[in-house]
Amino acid sequence: MPRATDTGRLGSTGLRITRLGLGTAPLGGLYEPVSDEAAEATITKAWDLGLRFFDTAPQYGNGLAERRLGAFLAGQPRDSYVLCTKVGRLLRRPAQAVGEDAYYKGTPPERPVFDFSYDGVMRSFEESLERLGTGRIDVLHIHDPDDHYDEAVAGAYRALDRLRSDGLIGAIGAGMNQSEMLASFARAGRFDCFLLAGRYTLLEQGALADFLPLCERQGIGVIIGGVYNSGVLANPAPGAKFNYADADPALIARARDLDAACARHGVPLKAAAIQFPAAHPAVATILTGARNAAEIAENEALFRHPIPAALWEDLRAGGLIDPAAPTP
C-alpha cells in the first residue's frame, strides 16, 4: 500500500519527492473563486499530511496560485520541499479591459500570453521567482506547447538547459495533456522529468505504448496529474467532465463499469484512480489538486486505502484496463 510521504528520486536527478504532491490550479480559482484563507488552509493541510512536492504555474489564477503558494512556503525551510512551476506564458495586463477569465475566477487583471522564446522564458522565470518570493525553483516545465513545438525546442528548451547548467534550477521538463509530444521532447533533448495530465489513468493507458517505456529507458521521471480525468472518475454521473469538457456518454458508461467493479471489492473508485498510475516504474509522483483542506485530506486517505489484488485482476479480466499496465 503506497503512502503519500514515501519519497523517491525524480528520474536521474538528485531531487527526492513525496509520492503524492499538491497541484495548485484549484487554488488559483479554477472554475470558482477560492479565498486566501481557504488556499492557505489547503496548503497547510497538505504540509501537515507530509506532502513536500508542490506544483504551480503562472497560468493558475493568472499568478494568484504562485503568490499564495509562495506566501506559505516562505515560512518553511527551503530545503524541506520541492517546488515546481512552469514557463511558456507571460502574464500581461491587456491594453483594454477584458471580461472575467474563461477558467479562473476571482483573479488579478493580468492575462497569460504565450511566449516560448528564449528571452520570454527567461523573463517568465524571473517573474515566477518574484511571485513565489524565492531565489530557487527546483523543477521548471515548458507548459502546454502543443501548437509551439519548434519554438519550444529552439527557445524554451535552450533557456531551461542554460538555467540548469548555471545551477538556478534542479530539473527541467515539460507539462502537457498529451504524451505524444512529450515523447518527441524526450528524443529531442536532455529532459529530467515530464508532467503528464489526464493521459495515464484508469480510463486511458495509451501512454503505455511509447511514452512511459521511453521514460523508463532514459531515466526520465514522470509526474502524473489529472487522475480523475477532470471529474468523471470521481463521480461518473450524467454531466461529468472529461478533459475539461462534458464527458461522452460512452466514457461515463465505462467509468460506471469501473465503479461497479471497485464496489464489488469494497474499494472507492477514486482510491483505485489515484493509486493506479503510481504503480508504473517510470512514475515518480501523483499530483492531486484540491481547493480546500477537506479535499486534500480525502485524497491523501484515498492514496493509502487498501486495495486487494483481486480488484486489479478483475479489471484486467473484464477488459477495463490494459493487460500490460502495472498495478499496485
Side-chain angles (χ1 to χ4, degrees):
M1 182 174 61
R3 293 183 303 172
T5 54
D6 291 341
T7 62
R9 195 168 67 172
L10 182 60
S12 57
T13 73
L15 295 171
R16 296 192 66 83
I17 59 176
T18 50
R19 293 285 282 162
L20 193 66
L22 178 67
T24 61
L27 301 184
L30 183 61
Y31 304 131
E32 60 184 83
V34 173
S35 68
D36 288 341
E37 294 76 16
E40 182 181 8
T42 305
I43 304 169
T44 299
K45 186 63 175 180
W47 185 272
D48 291 344
L49 290 168
L51 278 63
R52 294 295 184 269
F53 180 53
F54 299 91
D55 175 89
T56 190
Q59 182 197 15
Y60 300 163
N62 303 328
L64 190 58
E66 283 190 322
R67 292 191 183 280
R68 286 171 164 173
L69 180 59
F72 174 85
L73 293 177
Q76 314 305 325
R78 183 58 189 86
D79 291 335
S80 65
Y81 59 86
V82 175
L83 174 62
C84 172
T85 192
K86 305 176 184 73
V87 297
R89 290 174 173 89
L90 293 170
L91 298 179
R92 297 294 180 262
R93 185 171 298 199
Q96 296 181 339
V98 294
E100 190 172 44
D101 189 279
Y103 295 100
Y104 291 93
K105 309 305 177 184
T107 69
E110 289 78 14
R111 294 292 182 267
V113 178
F114 281 116
D115 191 337
F116 293 94
S117 69
Y118 182 96
D119 290 342
V121 165
M122 289 298 194
R123 285 194 296 273
S124 180
F125 172 68
E126 293 294 337
E127 291 170 10
S128 283
L129 289 177
E130 187 276 326
R131 285 189 294 268
L132 287 160
T134 185
R136 186 177 95 230
I137 290 169
D138 300 300
V139 182
L140 197 57
H141 288 306
I142 303 169
H143 195 193
D144 292 340
D146 301 73
D147 299 321
H148 308 271
Y149 177 78
D150 291 339
E151 186 180 18
V153 171
Y157 173 74
R158 285 196 307 113
L160 266 59
D161 192 39
R162 174 63 182 273
L163 291 168
R164 179 176 57 187
S165 298
D166 290 347
L168 297 174
I169 56 177
I172 68 174
M176 303 187 71
N177 292 287
Q178 58 155 301
S179 63
E180 294 82 5
M181 190 174 287
L182 291 180
S184 297
F185 278 123
R187 294 183 170 99
R190 190 169 63 87
F191 285 84
D192 301 300
C193 57
F194 292 119
L195 167 56
L196 178 62
R199 303 283 80 81
Y200 187 59
T201 70
L202 279 179
L203 277 176
E204 284 199 44
Q205 292 112 53
L208 285 169
D210 180 34
F211 172 68
L212 288 171
L214 176 64
C215 289
E216 189 176 2
R217 289 195 303 271
Q218 295 191 3
I220 297 171
V222 178
I223 301 159
I224 294 292
V227 295
Y228 301 139
N229 278 127
S230 300
V232 69
L233 284 175
N235 181 20
K241 299 294 184 184
F242 173 81
N243 204 28
Y244 311 108
D246 289 341
D248 184 87
L251 274 174
I252 295 176
R254 189 152 168 262
R256 284 179 170 172
D257 289 342
L258 287 161
D259 190 26
C262 289
R264 288 194 294 271
H265 293 272
V267 174
L269 175 61
K270 291 171 71 174
I274 200 170
Q275 291 186 37
F276 167 75
H280 195 285
V283 173
T285 190
I286 303 297
L287 272 183
T288 178
R291 66 179 59 253
N292 56 55
E295 286 186 2
I296 189 61
E298 179 191 26
N299 286 336
E300 188 274 336
L302 291 165
F303 192 69
R304 54 183 169 82
H305 191 286
I307 298 181
L311 169 60
W312 307 116
E313 294 167 4
D314 283 358
L315 294 181
R316 284 195 183 89
L320 291 172
I321 60 172
D322 191 312
T327 50

